[in-house]
Amino acid sequence: MGLSLLLLVASLAVRSVLSCADHSKRQSDLPSPGHLSRKRQAFSNNNPVYNSPDWDYSVPNDWGSIRPAYAVCQTGTQQSPIPLSLASGTSQFHQPNFQNYDRNVTGSWTNWGYGPAFNLEHPPGVYTSLPSMRWDNQTAYLEGWHIHAPAEHSVDGDKTKAEMHLVHVDAQGNEVAVLGIRLDPGTSSLPFFAQLPALVPFVTAGPGRNPNNNRPEVVPNVSMNMGLALDAVDRVSEFWTYKGSLTSPPCVEGLRWFVAREVALMSVNQMRTLLGASRYSARMEQEVWLHDVNGA
């Protein structure tokens, strides 16, 4: 067998090992992170994609070729995340205003397979009772939040160790906005994370998994004050905003992104605990195109 053929066989073997077959099997057990419920059908319990996932963070370059429904991952003009810059300034438009964030809310605490996640409780189909974010003449309601590690958005080429995405939907439950809060270690405890119960691990079996269905444990009736997250970033007084997309398949566009300029700092122990319950979940940054960053 020639050297070139041997190299080809070895390459194919490595590609097989790194492919998402085993990873997909694990992901098939994952719950929805409350991340853009209508458009992000990949995590719907009742959707075939949930039971036979075919994408993974280890090979994001190929998402657009996996199936037609993911084509926009490759062809889209407003794909997220994107690199941000202090030199270009922060936004003077679309200032978000927050309502009912400073009261305790109740929801389910879990792990979306890549990190901690929290889904707010609400009557089926009723979202207007949830904490809200308003900008211009649009109002969106906080459905849940989850963690990506490392951060998906960089600022001047630097990424923090993690990023929290607060997902907002309209009155019909259609996702319309995401607030990104970057997370890094500091010198003192972060009150928002200090209020949380023990983190649910991402492991596929054993502790942290429901033995009845091998899914991550879901802890109901967990209460938290979401206003503490806003306090950690100066109530989002400075921010970048742009027109973007989901950061995983099907990469649907049409979302308003807000990324707080301030970084939420937590203790080293809090950060280590957070990273210990997370695994790599950062899509590579996309080229800025028709994102209208900080535009009116």
Side-chain angles (χ1 to χ4, degrees):
M1 182 180 294
L3 178 60
S4 61
L5 183 56
L6 285 172
L7 291 175
L8 175 60
V9 171
S11 174
L12 290 174
V14 171
R15 183 182 180 90
S16 176
V17 170
L18 296 179
S19 68
C20 59
D22 291 340
H23 216 67
S24 295
K25 183 177 180 180
R26 290 196 296 271
Q27 190 173 332
S28 66
D29 294 329
L30 306 182
S32 167
H35 189 307
L36 312 179
S37 58
R38 180 177 62 90
K39 294 177 181 175
R40 190 176 184 178
Q41 293 299 314
F43 285 97
S44 169
N45 285 304
N46 299 318
N47 191 281
V49 179
Y50 177 94
N51 296 311
S52 57
D54 47 14
W55 62 270
D56 187 84
Y57 281 104
S58 63
V59 285
N61 287 337
D62 295 333
W63 286 351
S65 62
I66 292 173
R67 61 170 63 206
Y70 302 167
V72 72
C73 297
Q74 178 68 22
T75 63
T77 62
Q78 297 174 342
Q79 287 294 289
S80 297
I82 60 172
L84 302 169
S85 171
L86 287 170
S88 61
T90 52
S91 180
Q92 302 299 312
F93 305 100
H94 315 297
Q95 175 69 52
N97 296 294
F98 301 92
Q99 301 292 327
N100 296 322
Y101 260 73
D102 294 302
R103 62 178 173 82
N104 280 2
V105 294
T106 302
S108 58
W109 180 237
T110 187
N111 188 303
W112 70 285
Y114 291 99
F118 179 73
N119 299 312
L120 279 71
E121 292 180 356
H122 57 85
V126 179
Y127 303 92
T128 54
S129 61
L130 297 172
S132 65
M133 175 173 68
R134 183 176 177 83
W135 69 99
D136 303 334
N137 61 349
Q138 190 161 5
T139 301
Y141 305 93
L142 178 65
E143 188 181 35
W145 63 264
H146 60 277
I147 296 295
H148 287 263
E152 294 205 292
H153 291 89
S154 69
V155 175
D156 293 331
D158 179 68
K159 282 193 174 187
T160 56
K161 292 191 178 299
E163 183 172 323
M164 180 166 64
H165 289 171
L166 286 73
V167 181
H168 294 75
V169 300
D170 64 16
Q172 290 71 46
N174 305 317
E175 63 288 338
V176 291
V178 182
L179 170 60
I181 296 178
R182 296 173 297 138
L183 308 169
D184 242 355
T187 58
S188 58
S189 174
L190 182 64
F192 176 76
F193 278 91
Q195 70 179 327
L196 302 180
L199 302 188
V200 178
F202 61 80
V203 292
T204 59
R209 283 278 172 166
N210 184 329
N212 296 322
N213 57 18
N214 199 37
R215 294 181 182 275
E217 179 185 3
V218 176
V219 182
N221 302 318
V222 171
S223 178
M224 67 181 66
N225 184 336
M226 295 303 303
L228 295 177
L230 301 182
D231 291 341
V233 290
D234 195 26
R235 310 296 290 194
V236 199
S237 60
E238 293 186 273
F239 59 95
W240 294 272
T241 185
Y242 69 92
K243 299 173 182 177
S245 75
L246 308 185
T247 62
S248 63
C251 308
V252 175
E253 298 181 338
L255 283 74
R256 167 65 62 181
W257 272 89
F258 298 90
V259 180
R261 173 179 175 173
E262 294 289 328
V263 175
L265 299 177
M266 62 181 65
S267 70
V268 171
N269 285 339
Q270 284 179 321
M271 178 57 71
R272 293 185 66 189
T273 301
L274 179 66
L275 295 179
S278 306
R279 57 182 180 146
Y280 188 85
S281 57
R283 184 189 189 188
M284 69 174 58
E285 289 180 313
Q286 307 295 295
E287 289 190 26
V288 177
W289 192 358
L290 300 183
H291 296 82
D292 194 23
V293 180
N294 294 337

